[in-house]
Amino acid sequence: MYSVVAIGTSWGGLSAMTKLLSGLPHDFPVPIVIVQHRASDSDLLLPELLQDSTELTVCEIEDKDALTPGRAHVAPANYHVMVEPGYVSLTTEEPVRFSRPSIDVMFDSAADTYGAAAIGVVLTGANEDGARGLARIVMRGGRALVQDPKTAEIPVMPRAAIKAVPSAEVVPLDRLASRLVELSRGYSKPRAASRTAV
């Protein structure tokens, strides 16, 4: 069973996250942590915009927030997010790849804390943040999903993730939510693919 879904995105992320979260049920059993690159002076608008599209509860992370099923925890502007056992913490360490929050920092902590119980998801974006962290999730036994670059507004980030993690499952944006639901229910292989293979 999975303990966390860690999602990273950048340019084009609002549209991609809206599509992804809208497909998840209100009782999705795995806590979700989202890092979306944001300007350091960004306000609380991102969680509010995402809330309009989903039955999940969307909240901006405060330090030491408990990881809760049915909730999407969104990184605040200008803080790194660390996934800890059962909660998330915030740090103000130096930006990584010019980003704070950094996807790699969040993915690394999810990998180190949850290992095989972590799912990392890389969506649209214009830089390579997240690729190294996704590789660490896989190295620790976790699962990697990457938005099919053909369905990404900006394909740089998913392409970098696929290059760093050739074993990643590449999924079109409109299938990512249903794939996460399958994984949360214990289906390790895509159900449609396993039916065709029979």
Side-chain angles (χ1 to χ4, degrees):
M1 186 60 171
Y2 292 102
S3 299
V4 68
V5 175
I7 301 175
T9 188
S10 181
W11 194 309
L14 176 59
S15 174
M17 286 304 314
T18 297
K19 178 81 172 170
L20 173 55
L21 294 181
S22 70
L24 296 175
H26 70 91
D27 59 351
F28 185 71
V30 186
I32 298 168
V33 181
I34 299 166
V35 165
Q36 155 93 55
H37 290 165
R38 303 164 70 178
S40 60
D41 59 352
S42 178
D43 58 18
L44 296 178
L45 194 57
L46 179 60
E48 293 165 6
L49 290 170
L50 293 174
Q51 186 64 73
D52 289 342
S53 69
T54 184
E55 295 179 4
L56 297 169
T57 299
V58 180
C59 63
E60 186 164 83
I61 295 169
E62 293 186 18
D63 194 39
K64 307 294 190 257
D65 273 352
L67 286 170
T68 309
R71 183 167 290 217
H73 306 265
V74 179
N78 215 25
Y79 289 90
H80 290 309
V81 174
M82 304 293 291
V83 177
E84 312 278 1
Y87 67 97
V88 281
S89 61
L90 300 175
T91 76
T92 54
E93 293 171 18
E94 288 301 308
V96 175
R97 292 179 184 262
F98 308 103
S99 297
R100 188 174 61 201
S102 159
I103 300 165
D104 278 330
V105 168
M106 190 264 286
F107 280 2
D108 285 351
S109 65
D112 292 345
T113 300
Y114 286 110
I119 300 173
V121 182
V122 173
L123 301 176
T124 179
N127 67 22
E128 296 184 358
D129 190 18
R132 181 181 53 81
L134 192 67
R136 188 175 185 123
I137 287 174
V138 170
M139 183 183 75
R140 297 289 177 123
R143 182 172 288 268
L145 300 181
V146 178
Q147 179 183 355
D148 186 333
K150 293 191 292 283
T151 68
E153 186 173 329
I154 306 290
V156 176
M157 191 175 282
R159 284 183 183 147
I162 293 166
K163 183 176 179 184
V165 187
S167 64
E169 192 175 332
V170 179
V171 184
L173 179 59
D174 63 2
R175 277 276 303 138
L176 271 169
S178 60
R179 186 65 188 117
L180 286 171
V181 170
E182 288 173 356
L183 289 169
S184 75
R185 293 179 179 163
Y187 300 110
S188 62
K189 294 191 182 299
R191 296 187 80 191
S194 57
R195 279 198 299 270
T196 15
V198 172

